[in-house]
Amino acid sequence: MKLDRKEILKALEAISIAGEGKNMVESGAVTNVITFGDEVVVDLVLTTPAMHIKKRAEDDIRKLIHETFSADITVKVNIKVEVPEKNEIKGKTIPGISNIIAVASGKGGVGKSTVTANLAVTLGKMGFKVGVLDADIYGPSMPIMFDVENAKPVSVEVDGKSKMKPIESYEIKLLSIGFFTAPSQAVIWRGPMAAKALNQMIFDAAWGDLDFLLIDLPPGTGDIHLSIMQSLPITGAVVVSTPQAVALADAKKGVSMFLSESINVPVLGIIENMAYFTPEELPENKYYIFGKEGAKNLAADLQVPFLGEVPIVQSIREAGDYGRPAALQTASPLEKVFEDIARNVVEETVKRNDNLPPTEAIKITTMAGCSAVKK
């Protein structure tokens, strides 16, 4: 019998792909039908790799053609799977915020939050409008460092919508999960709950106009980091490390996470914290307790900028505990240390914006997207 391509297409309208409302012709799943004598070839494109759906589609086509036309027809079904990118979490810019800087560390205990707080107030003193998002869900410390531990954000109306108003301290706008929990209360949340809370603090907040939003990330390279980078187009990352080998090994992983092909966030540089100890009575002496220039050498090895070093000084710890960041100490060596680092961060941000396109929020479509390994 002579097979008519149009008749076969018309017959295929009786079949729908499992999980889809439209028939396979209307949905575009059938891309071509070819006839050769008593042979029919159907080219099919599916959006799911599930084996049972592929098998059912093939069986339905073969059965329909045999029942409608002839059992003697040879039916061949070519199936191609094209899985669309899942963009459920899309990176949205926040109106009014010019630069979003992620401050990270490969491990805990290297002083990342302390550096973030002092960098923020230094940028503020330089005339920039600055906000800090405390994304360290399980160890929020910014409320203590800015002496606003008992503060509670209030709701304000912006363009007809209810928004959280960040807490302001030393002219820095702050939001932290610490504002919504009791000081002694542990945050026992799974990753999705933490990510949802962070999204609310990012997008449901009245940040206003900011030159810099600093995000104090948790230690390591985990779920919160991916959630932040899926939600926001990060301008660049700053990695904090101490000089010893154990910290440097983890800092290297932190840098590689940002630079990996699947994430691709520019690294503005590395800051070396606790670089050396200087006794107050011997200000010219430097004792390299944790090793000398380890983070500086790591920056050179990884070919990323070295942003500066912060010494071990008792007043930095005291200032953080008392809720007044040490960089606010005018005419002090620490003020100069953080001014140099802040100036380097600004310079690297300007270079990055001049030479690179805007960062896109990452789109993780498979578990392979969480790895720097090419698949």
Side-chain angles (χ1 to χ4, degrees), residues 50-76:
M51 290 297 297
H52 69 282
I53 292 180
K54 292 166 62 179
K55 185 70 170 64
R56 177 176 167 181
E58 185 176 351
D59 290 345
D60 285 349
I61 291 171
R62 186 171 282 109
K63 181 180 178 182
L64 177 80
I65 292 175
H66 285 160
E67 290 180 351
T68 306
F69 300 98
S70 170
D72 297 327
I73 294 174
T74 302
V75 181
K76 183 178 181 182

Side-chain angles (χ1 to χ4, degrees), residues 114 117-118 141-147 314-326 329:
T114 300
N118 283 283
S141 52
M142 289 300 163
I144 296 174
M145 292 187 175
F146 281 88
D147 195 25
Q314 185 174 335
S315 61
I316 295 180
R317 191 273 306 164
E318 292 174 342
D321 288 349
Y322 292 137
R324 183 176 171 83
Q329 300 170 11

Side-chain angles (χ1 to χ4, degrees), residues 8-329:
I8 294 172
L9 276 171
K10 183 68 176 174
L12 290 175
E13 290 179 359
I15 305 174
S16 61
I17 305 295
E20 296 183 7
K22 298 178 180 179
N23 66 65
M24 61 171 56
V25 177
E26 186 183 2
S27 67
V30 177
T31 59
N32 199 14
V33 172
I34 304 172
T35 61
F36 301 99
D38 61 353
E39 181 179 351
V40 175
V41 179
V42 179
D43 292 334
L44 202 63
V45 174
L46 301 181
T47 58
T48 174
M51 290 297 297
H52 69 282
I53 292 180
K54 292 166 62 179
K55 185 70 170 64
R56 177 176 167 181
E58 185 176 351
D59 290 345
D60 285 349
I61 291 171
R62 186 171 282 109
K63 181 180 178 182
L64 177 80
I65 292 175
H66 285 160
E67 290 180 351
T68 306
F69 300 98
S70 170
D72 297 327
I73 294 174
T74 302
V75 181
K76 183 178 181 182
V77 182
N78 298 322
I79 297 179
K80 182 180 179 182
V81 177
E82 292 182 356
V83 181
E85 286 191 349
K86 295 179 182 178
N87 294 331
E88 290 90 350
I89 305 177
K90 295 183 179 180
K92 298 182 292 184
T93 56
I94 305 176
I97 299 180
S98 301
N99 299 286
I100 302 174
I101 310 296
V103 184
S105 65
K107 68 188 296 294
V110 299
K112 168 185 50 62
S113 297
T114 300
V115 169
T116 303
N118 283 283
L119 179 58
V121 297
T122 303
L123 289 169
K125 284 166 57 180
M126 292 168 67
F128 294 106
K129 296 176 182 177
V130 184
V132 175
L133 172 65
D134 188 357
D136 194 349
I137 288 287
Y138 305 109
S141 52
M142 289 300 163
I144 296 174
M145 292 187 175
F146 281 88
D147 195 25
V148 286
E149 193 173 2
N150 296 315
K152 300 294 178 186
V154 296
S155 177
V156 294
E157 191 169 303
V158 179
D159 298 329
K161 295 181 180 179
S162 181
K163 299 275 189 178
M164 276 184 287
K165 184 181 179 182
I167 302 299
E168 292 197 33
S169 180
Y170 309 119
E171 300 183 1
I172 306 299
K173 294 181 179 180
L174 298 168
L175 274 181
S176 168
I177 199 65
F179 293 140
F180 305 98
T181 60
S184 59
Q185 179 184 349
V187 180
I188 309 171
W189 287 352
R190 294 188 183 275
M193 292 177 65
K196 185 175 180 180
L198 285 173
N199 268 336
Q200 286 184 313
M201 288 194 290
I202 293 168
F203 297 111
D204 294 340
W207 288 106
D209 292 331
L210 294 179
D211 297 302
F212 290 95
L213 175 63
L214 304 183
I215 301 182
D216 183 28
L217 291 173
T221 54
D223 188 51
I224 298 299
H225 303 73
L226 292 176
S227 296
I228 289 284
M229 288 181 286
Q230 279 184 289
S231 301
L232 285 173
I234 305 294
T235 305
V238 170
V239 177
V240 179
S241 179
T242 48
Q244 73 267 41
V246 172
L248 294 172
D250 291 327
K252 188 174 182 179
K253 294 174 185 175
V255 172
S256 68
M257 173 187 71
F258 289 112
L259 295 181
S260 67
E261 185 180 357
S262 56
I263 291 178
N264 196 27
V265 169
V267 174
L268 302 177
I270 296 176
I271 296 173
E272 183 171 273
N273 194 28
M274 307 181 200
Y276 55 85
F277 170 65
T278 295
E280 188 175 355
E281 63 277 9
L282 298 169
E284 300 303 317
N285 288 24
K286 293 183 179 181
Y287 299 96
Y288 296 93
I289 298 173
F290 297 122
K292 187 174 182 179
E293 298 183 342
K296 184 176 183 179
N297 293 333
L298 177 64
D301 290 343
L302 298 178
Q303 296 182 331
V304 297
F306 181 66
L307 300 173
E309 56 186 19
V310 181
I312 302 175
V313 179
Q314 185 174 335
S315 61
I316 295 180
R317 191 273 306 164
E318 292 174 342
D321 288 349
Y322 292 137
R324 183 176 171 83
L328 293 171
Q329 300 170 11

